[in-house]
Amino acid sequence: MKKTIVIVDDHILIAKALEGIIGNFNDFEVIYVCENGQDLIDKLENNGQIPDFILLDISMPIMNGFETAAWLTKNHPGIKIMALSMQGDDNSVIKMIKNGAKGYLLKNTHPKDLETALTKLNTDGFFYPEWATRIILSSLNNEKGAENTVRISDREKEFLTYTVTELSYKEIADRMCCSPRTVESYRDQLCEKLDLKTRVGLAVFAMKNGFA
């Protein structure tokens, strides 16, 4: 069964072109197109089909990509967000990731690279090209050693080592010999301490600071 995608972009010609490109992919299909974040919310809240992925533009009227990603992360955390934008500046990348995007591509990406990125997003849970990864690591470097200013308990450190794996939170709980609720509390506490919102952010922090 093909994975379902919704495209959110106010440039209809670009959105329709993307829909045509994805229509040639073996494992993915576009189920509908939205003009902005509010249009997407209206569809989702009026019994629209819930997609597996959302290709999300950033610069849109009414409700932009940053606001839309934050809303999706809160209300539909199971949907994987791939930012697809003309904006590749550091602030846009970091803000989208903090708001829940699990992937980031520029609109000049080759169709084969888009297919590869979607496949990686599906299998690994996230995808960032090298240029975006450099921005993420640079941002973490500029945090001036957050691990030295924020107290992280031994159990939280143990949890961080698992964030880079493909284990579910229930499987992590089994490995740590605790309840899933306890694991969720570790996640929530670390996100609050480190000003992060997603597992991807925790995983990047873990790798950068030697916890994984």
Side-chain angles (χ1 to χ4, degrees):
M1 181 179 294
K2 291 187 176 184
K3 293 294 182 179
T4 56
I5 296 174
V6 166
I7 297 170
V8 184
D9 194 316
D10 63 314
H11 295 94
I12 301 302
L13 287 176
I14 292 177
K16 288 299 183 181
L18 275 171
E19 185 176 10
I21 290 169
I22 294 170
N24 292 317
F25 295 170
N26 291 326
D27 300 320
F28 305 94
E29 64 177 344
V30 175
I31 53 176
Y32 52 90
V33 174
C34 299
E35 295 185 16
N36 55 63
Q38 188 58 56
D39 186 20
L40 173 66
I41 291 173
D42 291 343
K43 285 184 170 63
L44 292 176
E45 292 189 337
N46 286 283
N47 300 315
Q49 184 177 348
I50 305 298
D52 298 303
F53 306 103
I54 287 179
L55 290 181
L56 183 60
D57 190 19
I58 293 178
S59 297
M60 298 181 292
I62 302 176
M63 187 172 185
N64 64 36
F66 301 124
E67 298 165 334
T68 305
W71 185 90
L72 286 167
T73 298
K74 179 179 179 181
N75 294 279
H76 292 279
I79 300 176
K80 295 181 176 67
I81 304 167
M82 173 75 79
L84 186 60
S85 175
M86 293 297 294
Q87 298 175 218
D89 61 283
D90 293 14
N91 288 337
S92 295
V93 172
I94 295 303
K95 189 171 181 179
M96 281 299 288
I97 290 172
K98 285 187 174 183
N99 284 8
K102 293 178 172 59
Y104 203 110
L105 290 174
L106 296 177
K107 285 186 176 179
N108 62 359
T109 297
H110 191 279
K112 287 300 297 180
D113 293 331
L114 173 60
E115 185 175 17
T116 297
L118 288 170
T119 300
K120 287 287 188 181
L121 184 60
N122 183 43
T123 57
D124 299 342
F126 59 93
F127 175 83
Y128 301 107
E130 286 188 15
W131 64 268
T133 301
R134 287 195 294 269
I135 289 174
I136 296 167
L137 293 177
S138 176
S139 174
L140 288 170
N141 281 328
N142 291 335
E143 289 178 357
K144 299 179 180 179
E147 71 278 12
N148 294 324
T149 59
V150 174
R151 185 181 181 280
I152 300 176
S153 71
D154 289 340
R155 290 291 274 175
E156 288 172 341
K157 290 177 182 177
E158 183 181 358
F159 168 71
L160 280 172
T161 66
Y162 289 117
T163 60
V164 300
T165 70
E166 296 182 3
L167 295 173
S168 67
Y169 286 127
K170 183 180 185 303
E171 290 169 332
I172 293 174
D174 291 340
R175 297 287 183 91
M176 295 183 67
C177 300
C178 63
S179 70
R181 186 182 296 274
T182 300
V183 164
E184 290 173 0
S185 73
Y186 293 146
R187 176 200 63 200
D188 294 343
Q189 290 165 12
L190 283 166
C191 283
E192 183 175 354
K193 289 178 181 180
L194 302 172
D195 192 26
L196 298 169
K197 293 186 179 180
T198 67
R199 178 169 175 170
V200 173
L202 289 171
V204 171
F205 176 85
M207 290 186 288
K208 168 64 179 64
N209 291 290
F211 295 116

